[in-house]
Amino acid sequence: MSTDATPDPYADPLVFGQRLQLLRTRRGITQDQLGGLVGRSGSWVRALEAGRLKTPKLPIVLRLAEVLRVRDLSDLTGDQSMQVNLFTGPGHPRFAAVREALNSLQLGTGQDVPPPAHLSARLARAWTARHSAPKHRDVIGALLPDLIRDAQASVRVAETIADRKAAQARLAEVYFLAQFFCAYQPDAPLVWRVAERGMVAAQESEDPHAIGMAAWLTIQAHRESTHLDAADAVTAEALRYLEPLLPDAGADVRAITGALTVEAGLTAARRRDTGTAWRYWDTARRLAEGLPDGYFHPVTSFSRAVIGAHAVTVAVELQAGSESTRQAAQAEAEAIPSRPRRARHRIEQARAYHLDAQPDVALATLDQAHEAAPETVQYNGHARRIILEEAEAKSPDRRRRASELAVKIGLLTA
């Protein structure tokens, strides 16, 4: 093996600073960017990587792991006793069957294909179940394998161009549902394959709503992988395509445009571009206010009820502690009809309170999130980081509460 080969932080006995540098460069993040994302300076990161500073305490290590999206803490620390996954869940029991359906190749035409109306009704029921079931991953995981196979077959047997485009739109939506399920599961490449298939099917359908949804999911995947330039590029292209259609568009196209505008603001917030982030949010708010009363987008959850929740996330991503708690206090979670979206909003509120040095309120809010949708908390890296950090708190009561929550979501054993 060449001595010039790049060391592998997962195999070679590197010190913390070396691991940090390799993981940072693999993510394409500069020292100044990393420092800003964890509330420190670029010079602090440089000193840490050069070994001039000792390994930080657990809260900072968890923040670094969160930004770098490491597989588990031991990848960053080198301490094999800290093998705790943050952004890759332990794997849902139904994940293997869903992955098999996504990976299988079906070329035959002998199978019975349900009528399009039947497939559409099943897909609508699946989205309803996702929003209403406390253990939504379990419900969706049971429905997805047959939905994937039947939607793929429906495209193959379509006889007219119009039928084929409609079948592609349904298939794209099935892939969107699968992408929600596969997020935070132990197969990151599968998430990208599903995202790409969803985008291809949406483009084949020539349906603006489907194309917008595909872009929305792709943007999130890029941003969570810290590919902010790619996220911006997809957002800009999707909005250029959709905005001219808005004067004559229905509620779904206007809602997906609003959801994409929110994503533009969140990416700007991740860059710490305060003015741009809030400007996009304000544009999205106006789009939400123009939607019919009671409207709730079935995929993105974009609605009047959710726009306040987005404001919390913008403030948190900007690392604005007092503003994030102000927004958290204003945004009413109970108005959100979707259980997983309500739980996700509670997690964002918990991030706000934790950022503002209110850890007890953060833990209480995570308990509320767990009550709304346990699986959302179980597979959310931000929630897991807060719980792990507070499990090491100086306060015995806070340690106990955090540890109890960690046991509930499977981070610790009882």
Side-chain angles (χ1 to χ4, degrees), residues 12 53 60 68 72 76 85 113 123 144 151 159 161 164 177 189 203 219 240 284 303 311 316 334 371 413:
D12 298 339
L53 293 176
I60 295 297
L68 295 170
D72 59 53
L76 178 58
N85 288 322
V113 181
L123 189 53
L144 268 172
E159 295 181 351
I161 293 176
R164 186 174 182 84
L177 189 65
Q203 289 177 316
I219 292 160
R240 274 196 296 268
S303 59
V316 170
E334 295 308 317
E371 183 179 345
T413 55

Side-chain angles (χ1 to χ4, degrees), residues 263-291:
E263 295 305 312
L266 294 176
T267 305
R270 185 71 62 87
R271 296 182 186 277
R272 302 293 193 274
D273 187 344
T274 302
T276 301
W278 286 115
R279 186 164 59 252
Y280 275 122
W281 178 85
D282 196 51
T283 301
R285 178 186 56 80
R286 290 195 295 271
L287 286 166
E289 289 172 350
L291 294 171

Side-chain angles (χ1 to χ4, degrees), residues 292-364:
D293 289 341
Y295 177 89
F296 190 82
H297 191 266
V299 179
T300 68
S301 299
F302 188 78
S303 59
R304 296 181 192 177
V306 171
I307 197 67
H310 289 309
V312 179
T313 305
V314 169
V316 170
E317 291 291 346
L318 287 168
Q319 296 290 293
S322 58
E323 177 63 18
S324 64
T325 53
R326 188 181 74 83
Q327 294 291 347
Q330 289 181 341
E332 179 50 60
E334 295 308 317
I336 301 173
S338 165
R339 277 181 173 267
R341 186 61 185 87
R342 190 158 65 244
R344 214 170 87 230
H345 173 47
R346 290 294 192 197
I347 292 169
E348 293 302 292
Q349 287 179 312
R351 291 179 70 197
Y353 292 124
H354 204 251
L355 179 65
D356 200 43
Q358 300 183 51
D360 291 305
V361 184
L363 287 176

